[in-house]
Amino acid sequence: MKVVILAGGRGTRLGEETTIRPKPMVELGGKPIIWHIMKYYSSFGLNDFVICLGYKGYMIKEFFSNYLLHVSDVTIDLSENKTIVHSNASEPWRITLVETGEATMTGGRLRRIRHHLDDHDFCMTYGDGLTDMDLAALIEFHRGHSGLATVTAVSPTARFGALALDAEQVTRFREKASDAKDYINGGFFVLSPRVLDRIEGDSTVWEREPMETLAEEGSLFAFRHDGFWHPMDMLRDKIQLEDLWARGEAPWKRW
């Protein structure tokens, strides 16, 4: 199963951090947050990634192009123009990096990578959120219902828009959550490639028309997760996540 990561946004609420790098390259514990996300998926045996690039996407390309230099011991022989890798500590990842446009919306990015997907269901997430969710259970849940899409429903503070649920089916969206018991889009999806037919073009926002249409059709289901979930939206989020990592208490660290 492939994993699609939306990594093209600017992340303007992180201030200076994202004036020099794309949001998924902001570091936690010396590694980009996208690396943490990929390590988490990899811990469940998901190692085939399609990354949707946009703002400063070349930095993500350069990071993975030179990945062995980042994680391994090497000897660089300038006289012979040769690099010897001594201890290869890299992961078994296959990474497809796709330029999806700097101003393209989330739905448009998904539409642009359609030719890199096959006819099987795939995972999708954003390049800025961490969790301790059981991804195997999420995938099993998706395969067990009749819909085309599964969204993870989480219940954090009330600063986000809410999902209205009828049992396990998403029925509608509310602009803002009314209390802490409301569930919101947690950003970890399992999708049929057929959902891409709901995306008209680059300006389509995945979280609006496509998800709303799927909900109206009864094709969008929610996997509830009441454990750890934390996006890196603002500088305070980065500080909190850094603190968890530094104290050895990062719930997402399964490796």
mmCIF file of all heavy atoms in Angstrom, residues 55-87:
data_model
loop_
_atom_site.group_PDB
_atom_site.id
_atom_site.type_symbol
_atom_site.label_atom_id
_atom_site.label_comp_id
_atom_site.label_asym_id
_atom_site.label_seq_id
_atom_site.Cartn_x
_atom_site.Cartn_y
_atom_site.Cartn_z
ATOM 1 N N TYR A 55 5.917 24.440 -2.169
ATOM 2 C CA TYR A 55 6.786 25.501 -1.654
ATOM 3 C C TYR A 55 8.148 24.945 -1.230
ATOM 4 O O TYR A 55 8.231 24.041 -0.398
ATOM 5 C CB TYR A 55 6.084 26.165 -0.467
ATOM 6 C CG TYR A 55 6.908 27.198 0.273
ATOM 7 C CD1 TYR A 55 7.249 28.401 -0.319
ATOM 8 C CD2 TYR A 55 7.307 26.959 1.587
ATOM 9 C CE1 TYR A 55 7.996 29.347 0.374
ATOM 10 C CE2 TYR A 55 8.045 27.895 2.292
ATOM 11 C CZ TYR A 55 8.385 29.090 1.670
ATOM 12 O OH TYR A 55 9.126 30.027 2.366
ATOM 13 N N LYS A 56 9.220 25.461 -1.848
ATOM 14 C CA LYS A 56 10.592 25.044 -1.557
ATOM 15 C C LYS A 56 10.762 23.527 -1.584
ATOM 16 O O LYS A 56 11.506 22.938 -0.783
ATOM 17 C CB LYS A 56 11.065 25.623 -0.219
ATOM 18 C CG LYS A 56 11.149 27.154 -0.194
ATOM 19 C CD LYS A 56 11.768 27.657 1.103
ATOM 20 C CE LYS A 56 11.788 29.180 1.159
ATOM 21 N NZ LYS A 56 12.682 29.785 0.142
ATOM 22 N N GLY A 57 10.093 22.893 -2.522
ATOM 23 C CA GLY A 57 10.148 21.443 -2.621
ATOM 24 C C GLY A 57 11.533 20.902 -2.903
ATOM 25 O O GLY A 57 11.842 19.761 -2.567
ATOM 26 N N TYR A 58 12.393 21.720 -3.498
ATOM 27 C CA TYR A 58 13.752 21.271 -3.803
ATOM 28 C C TYR A 58 14.501 20.895 -2.534
ATOM 29 O O TYR A 58 15.411 20.045 -2.571
ATOM 30 C CB TYR A 58 14.518 22.353 -4.568
ATOM 31 C CG TYR A 58 14.783 23.610 -3.773
ATOM 32 C CD1 TYR A 58 15.929 23.747 -3.001
ATOM 33 C CD2 TYR A 58 13.867 24.661 -3.789
ATOM 34 C CE1 TYR A 58 16.161 24.896 -2.259
ATOM 35 C CE2 TYR A 58 14.091 25.808 -3.047
ATOM 36 C CZ TYR A 58 15.240 25.919 -2.288
ATOM 37 O OH TYR A 58 15.466 27.062 -1.545
ATOM 38 N N MET A 59 14.142 21.487 -1.402
ATOM 39 C CA MET A 59 14.823 21.154 -0.146
ATOM 40 C C MET A 59 14.494 19.734 0.304
ATOM 41 O O MET A 59 15.340 19.031 0.881
ATOM 42 C CB MET A 59 14.454 22.163 0.943
ATOM 43 C CG MET A 59 14.930 23.573 0.658
ATOM 44 S SD MET A 59 14.647 24.704 2.047
ATOM 45 C CE MET A 59 15.829 24.073 3.247
ATOM 46 N N ILE A 60 13.275 19.296 0.043
ATOM 47 C CA ILE A 60 12.900 17.924 0.365
ATOM 48 C C ILE A 60 13.622 16.967 -0.574
ATOM 49 O O ILE A 60 14.117 15.911 -0.161
ATOM 50 C CB ILE A 60 11.373 17.746 0.291
ATOM 51 C CG1 ILE A 60 10.679 18.675 1.300
ATOM 52 C CG2 ILE A 60 10.977 16.291 0.556
ATOM 53 C CD1 ILE A 60 9.164 18.643 1.253
ATOM 54 N N LYS A 61 13.726 17.343 -1.850
ATOM 55 C CA LYS A 61 14.475 16.531 -2.805
ATOM 56 C C LYS A 61 15.933 16.397 -2.385
ATOM 57 O O LYS A 61 16.514 15.307 -2.426
ATOM 58 C CB LYS A 61 14.397 17.148 -4.203
ATOM 59 C CG LYS A 61 13.073 16.956 -4.919
ATOM 60 C CD LYS A 61 13.156 17.554 -6.313
ATOM 61 C CE LYS A 61 11.880 17.315 -7.107
ATOM 62 N NZ LYS A 61 11.933 17.921 -8.440
ATOM 63 N N GLU A 62 16.525 17.487 -2.006
ATOM 64 C CA GLU A 62 17.933 17.458 -1.622
ATOM 65 C C GLU A 62 18.160 16.621 -0.367
ATOM 66 O O GLU A 62 19.156 15.905 -0.250
ATOM 67 C CB GLU A 62 18.451 18.883 -1.416
ATOM 68 C CG GLU A 62 18.604 19.655 -2.719
ATOM 69 C CD GLU A 62 19.083 21.084 -2.511
ATOM 70 O OE1 GLU A 62 19.142 21.519 -1.337
ATOM 71 O OE2 GLU A 62 19.388 21.755 -3.507
ATOM 72 N N PHE A 63 17.229 16.704 0.585
ATOM 73 C CA PHE A 63 17.371 15.922 1.816
ATOM 74 C C PHE A 63 17.406 14.428 1.512
ATOM 75 O O PHE A 63 18.284 13.700 2.001
ATOM 76 C CB PHE A 63 16.228 16.237 2.777
ATOM 77 C CG PHE A 63 16.235 15.400 4.027
ATOM 78 C CD1 PHE A 63 17.135 15.658 5.046
ATOM 79 C CD2 PHE A 63 15.343 14.344 4.179
ATOM 80 C CE1 PHE A 63 17.154 14.876 6.206
ATOM 81 C CE2 PHE A 63 15.361 13.563 5.332
ATOM 82 C CZ PHE A 63 16.263 13.829 6.341
ATOM 83 N N PHE A 64 16.476 13.959 0.688
ATOM 84 C CA PHE A 64 16.432 12.528 0.405
ATOM 85 C C PHE A 64 17.491 12.110 -0.611
ATOM 86 O O PHE A 64 17.977 10.971 -0.569
ATOM 87 C CB PHE A 64 15.033 12.124 -0.051
ATOM 88 C CG PHE A 64 14.042 12.123 1.083
ATOM 89 C CD1 PHE A 64 13.013 13.049 1.122
ATOM 90 C CD2 PHE A 64 14.155 11.207 2.111
ATOM 91 C CE1 PHE A 64 12.109 13.059 2.179
ATOM 92 C CE2 PHE A 64 13.256 11.202 3.178
ATOM 93 C CZ PHE A 64 12.229 12.124 3.204
ATOM 94 N N SER A 65 17.863 13.010 -1.511
ATOM 95 C CA SER A 65 18.938 12.694 -2.448
ATOM 96 C C SER A 65 20.254 12.454 -1.716
ATOM 97 O O SER A 65 21.078 11.632 -2.127
ATOM 98 C CB SER A 65 19.117 13.826 -3.463
ATOM 99 O OG SER A 65 17.989 13.933 -4.290
ATOM 100 N N ASN A 66 20.474 13.176 -0.622
ATOM 101 C CA ASN A 66 21.705 13.063 0.156
ATOM 102 C C ASN A 66 21.462 12.353 1.493
ATOM 103 O O ASN A 66 22.190 12.565 2.460
ATOM 104 C CB ASN A 66 22.280 14.455 0.422
ATOM 105 C CG ASN A 66 22.677 15.155 -0.862
ATOM 106 O OD1 ASN A 66 23.447 14.634 -1.647
ATOM 107 N ND2 ASN A 66 22.130 16.341 -1.080
ATOM 108 N N TYR A 67 20.444 11.499 1.520
ATOM 109 C CA TYR A 67 20.032 10.899 2.783
ATOM 110 C C TYR A 67 21.144 10.096 3.455
ATOM 111 O O TYR A 67 21.329 10.165 4.666
ATOM 112 C CB TYR A 67 18.802 10.012 2.553
ATOM 113 C CG TYR A 67 18.155 9.544 3.834
ATOM 114 C CD1 TYR A 67 17.525 10.447 4.682
ATOM 115 C CD2 TYR A 67 18.190 8.207 4.207
ATOM 116 C CE1 TYR A 67 16.925 10.036 5.860
ATOM 117 C CE2 TYR A 67 17.594 7.780 5.389
ATOM 118 C CZ TYR A 67 16.967 8.701 6.213
ATOM 119 O OH TYR A 67 16.391 8.290 7.385
ATOM 120 N N LEU A 68 21.906 9.345 2.679
ATOM 121 C CA LEU A 68 22.976 8.541 3.263
ATOM 122 C C LEU A 68 24.014 9.409 3.959
ATOM 123 O O LEU A 68 24.609 9.002 4.964
ATOM 124 C CB LEU A 68 23.637 7.668 2.199
ATOM 125 C CG LEU A 68 22.793 6.505 1.665
ATOM 126 C CD1 LEU A 68 23.561 5.742 0.599
ATOM 127 C CD2 LEU A 68 22.373 5.570 2.791
ATOM 128 N N LEU A 69 24.236 10.613 3.443
ATOM 129 C CA LEU A 69 25.180 11.526 4.093
ATOM 130 C C LEU A 69 24.645 11.992 5.440
ATOM 131 O O LEU A 69 25.412 12.287 6.358
ATOM 132 C CB LEU A 69 25.451 12.735 3.201
ATOM 133 C CG LEU A 69 26.237 12.486 1.917
ATOM 134 C CD1 LEU A 69 26.348 13.772 1.118
ATOM 135 C CD2 LEU A 69 27.626 11.942 2.225
ATOM 136 N N HIS A 70 23.324 12.050 5.557
ATOM 137 C CA HIS A 70 22.706 12.506 6.798
ATOM 138 C C HIS A 70 22.736 11.436 7.885
ATOM 139 O O HIS A 70 22.830 11.758 9.069
ATOM 140 C CB HIS A 70 21.242 12.917 6.560
ATOM 141 C CG HIS A 70 21.077 14.160 5.753
ATOM 142 N ND1 HIS A 70 21.168 15.420 6.295
ATOM 143 C CD2 HIS A 70 20.813 14.344 4.436
ATOM 144 C CE1 HIS A 70 20.969 16.323 5.347
ATOM 145 N NE2 HIS A 70 20.747 15.703 4.217
ATOM 146 N N VAL A 71 22.654 10.152 7.492
ATOM 147 C CA VAL A 71 22.419 9.107 8.493
ATOM 148 C C VAL A 71 23.538 8.072 8.602
ATOM 149 O O VAL A 71 23.481 7.204 9.471
ATOM 150 C CB VAL A 71 21.095 8.372 8.195
ATOM 151 C CG1 VAL A 71 19.922 9.333 8.238
ATOM 152 C CG2 VAL A 71 21.146 7.643 6.848
ATOM 153 N N SER A 72 24.560 8.148 7.736
ATOM 154 C CA SER A 72 25.585 7.106 7.725
ATOM 155 C C SER A 72 26.988 7.675 7.924
ATOM 156 O O SER A 72 27.230 8.867 7.714
ATOM 157 C CB SER A 72 25.544 6.341 6.388
ATOM 158 O OG SER A 72 24.274 5.812 6.135
ATOM 159 N N ASP A 73 27.926 6.791 8.310
ATOM 160 C CA ASP A 73 29.344 7.145 8.341
ATOM 161 C C ASP A 73 29.900 7.006 6.933
ATOM 162 O O ASP A 73 29.667 5.989 6.257
ATOM 163 C CB ASP A 73 30.113 6.210 9.277
ATOM 164 C CG ASP A 73 29.668 6.355 10.722
ATOM 165 O OD1 ASP A 73 29.191 7.448 11.081
ATOM 166 O OD2 ASP A 73 29.801 5.380 11.479
ATOM 167 N N VAL A 74 30.609 8.014 6.475
ATOM 168 C CA VAL A 74 31.131 7.991 5.103
ATOM 169 C C VAL A 74 32.578 8.459 5.066
ATOM 170 O O VAL A 74 33.035 9.192 5.953
ATOM 171 C CB VAL A 74 30.288 8.883 4.161
ATOM 172 C CG1 VAL A 74 28.854 8.403 4.075
ATOM 173 C CG2 VAL A 74 30.332 10.346 4.597
ATOM 174 N N THR A 75 33.292 8.013 4.040
ATOM 175 C CA THR A 75 34.604 8.563 3.697
ATOM 176 C C THR A 75 34.468 9.237 2.346
ATOM 177 O O THR A 75 34.012 8.609 1.374
ATOM 178 C CB THR A 75 35.665 7.455 3.624
ATOM 179 O OG1 THR A 75 35.848 6.897 4.923
ATOM 180 C CG2 THR A 75 37.001 8.022 3.125
ATOM 181 N N ILE A 76 34.847 10.500 2.287
ATOM 182 C CA ILE A 76 34.778 11.250 1.036
ATOM 183 C C ILE A 76 36.203 11.430 0.512
ATOM 184 O O ILE A 76 37.015 12.120 1.130
ATOM 185 C CB ILE A 76 34.093 12.614 1.227
ATOM 186 C CG1 ILE A 76 32.661 12.394 1.764
ATOM 187 C CG2 ILE A 76 34.057 13.395 -0.073
ATOM 188 C CD1 ILE A 76 31.950 13.676 2.142
ATOM 189 N N ASP A 77 36.516 10.778 -0.597
ATOM 190 C CA ASP A 77 37.844 10.831 -1.207
ATOM 191 C C ASP A 77 37.810 11.848 -2.336
ATOM 192 O O ASP A 77 37.348 11.557 -3.445
ATOM 193 C CB ASP A 77 38.234 9.444 -1.730
ATOM 194 C CG ASP A 77 39.688 9.373 -2.171
ATOM 195 O OD1 ASP A 77 40.228 10.431 -2.568
ATOM 196 O OD2 ASP A 77 40.276 8.278 -2.120
ATOM 197 N N LEU A 78 38.273 13.063 -2.040
ATOM 198 C CA LEU A 78 38.216 14.131 -3.039
ATOM 199 C C LEU A 78 39.151 13.868 -4.208
ATOM 200 O O LEU A 78 38.863 14.243 -5.341
ATOM 201 C CB LEU A 78 38.559 15.467 -2.374
ATOM 202 C CG LEU A 78 37.582 15.961 -1.299
ATOM 203 C CD1 LEU A 78 38.064 17.283 -0.718
ATOM 204 C CD2 LEU A 78 36.174 16.107 -1.865
ATOM 205 N N SER A 79 40.301 13.220 -3.957
ATOM 206 C CA SER A 79 41.278 12.988 -5.029
ATOM 207 C C SER A 79 40.725 12.059 -6.102
ATOM 208 O O SER A 79 41.080 12.160 -7.273
ATOM 209 C CB SER A 79 42.569 12.407 -4.452
ATOM 210 O OG SER A 79 42.339 11.127 -3.879
ATOM 211 N N GLU A 80 39.838 11.122 -5.695
ATOM 212 C CA GLU A 80 39.259 10.183 -6.660
ATOM 213 C C GLU A 80 37.779 10.455 -6.919
ATOM 214 O O GLU A 80 37.117 9.675 -7.610
ATOM 215 C CB GLU A 80 39.432 8.746 -6.162
ATOM 216 C CG GLU A 80 40.896 8.317 -6.071
ATOM 217 C CD GLU A 80 41.033 6.830 -5.794
ATOM 218 O OE1 GLU A 80 40.042 6.098 -5.981
ATOM 219 O OE2 GLU A 80 42.136 6.423 -5.410
ATOM 220 N N ASN A 81 37.278 11.548 -6.357
ATOM 221 C CA ASN A 81 35.870 11.919 -6.529
ATOM 222 C C ASN A 81 34.960 10.734 -6.181
ATOM 223 O O ASN A 81 34.113 10.317 -6.959
ATOM 224 C CB ASN A 81 35.610 12.399 -7.965
ATOM 225 C CG ASN A 81 34.227 13.024 -8.114
ATOM 226 O OD1 ASN A 81 33.666 13.540 -7.147
ATOM 227 N ND2 ASN A 81 33.679 12.965 -9.318
ATOM 228 N N LYS A 82 35.163 10.210 -4.970
ATOM 229 C CA LYS A 82 34.463 9.000 -4.565
ATOM 230 C C LYS A 82 33.986 9.117 -3.123
ATOM 231 O O LYS A 82 34.695 9.656 -2.272
ATOM 232 C CB LYS A 82 35.407 7.798 -4.716
ATOM 233 C CG LYS A 82 34.786 6.457 -4.383
ATOM 234 C CD LYS A 82 35.697 5.304 -4.781
ATOM 235 C CE LYS A 82 37.020 5.354 -4.040
ATOM 236 N NZ LYS A 82 37.875 4.192 -4.349
ATOM 237 N N THR A 83 32.801 8.619 -2.866
ATOM 238 C CA THR A 83 32.254 8.566 -1.508
ATOM 239 C C THR A 83 31.999 7.119 -1.129
ATOM 240 O O THR A 83 31.341 6.378 -1.873
ATOM 241 C CB THR A 83 30.946 9.364 -1.411
ATOM 242 O OG1 THR A 83 31.193 10.735 -1.742
ATOM 243 C CG2 THR A 83 30.365 9.289 -0.004
ATOM 244 N N ILE A 84 32.534 6.713 0.007
ATOM 245 C CA ILE A 84 32.353 5.349 0.503
ATOM 246 C C ILE A 84 31.437 5.394 1.722
ATOM 247 O O ILE A 84 31.715 6.104 2.689
ATOM 248 C CB ILE A 84 33.701 4.715 0.892
ATOM 249 C CG1 ILE A 84 34.649 4.710 -0.313
ATOM 250 C CG2 ILE A 84 33.496 3.299 1.424
ATOM 251 C CD1 ILE A 84 36.070 4.334 0.049
ATOM 252 N N VAL A 85 30.335 4.656 1.660
ATOM 253 C CA VAL A 85 29.407 4.564 2.783
ATOM 254 C C VAL A 85 29.812 3.365 3.639
ATOM 255 O O VAL A 85 29.883 2.238 3.169
ATOM 256 C CB VAL A 85 27.944 4.397 2.292
ATOM 257 C CG1 VAL A 85 27.004 4.242 3.477
ATOM 258 C CG2 VAL A 85 27.536 5.594 1.438
ATOM 259 N N HIS A 86 30.070 3.611 4.932
ATOM 260 C CA HIS A 86 30.562 2.550 5.806
ATOM 261 C C HIS A 86 29.430 1.805 6.507
ATOM 262 O O HIS A 86 29.342 0.597 6.449
ATOM 263 C CB HIS A 86 31.522 3.131 6.858
ATOM 264 C CG HIS A 86 32.762 3.694 6.246
ATOM 265 N ND1 HIS A 86 33.710 2.925 5.627
ATOM 266 C CD2 HIS A 86 33.192 4.978 6.150
ATOM 267 C CE1 HIS A 86 34.696 3.686 5.181
ATOM 268 N NE2 HIS A 86 34.395 4.948 5.484
ATOM 269 N N SER A 87 28.582 2.515 7.193
ATOM 270 C CA SER A 87 27.485 1.858 7.915
ATOM 271 C C SER A 87 26.173 2.425 7.402
ATOM 272 O O SER A 87 25.780 3.527 7.765
ATOM 273 C CB SER A 87 27.610 2.093 9.417
ATOM 274 O OG SER A 87 27.636 3.475 9.705
#
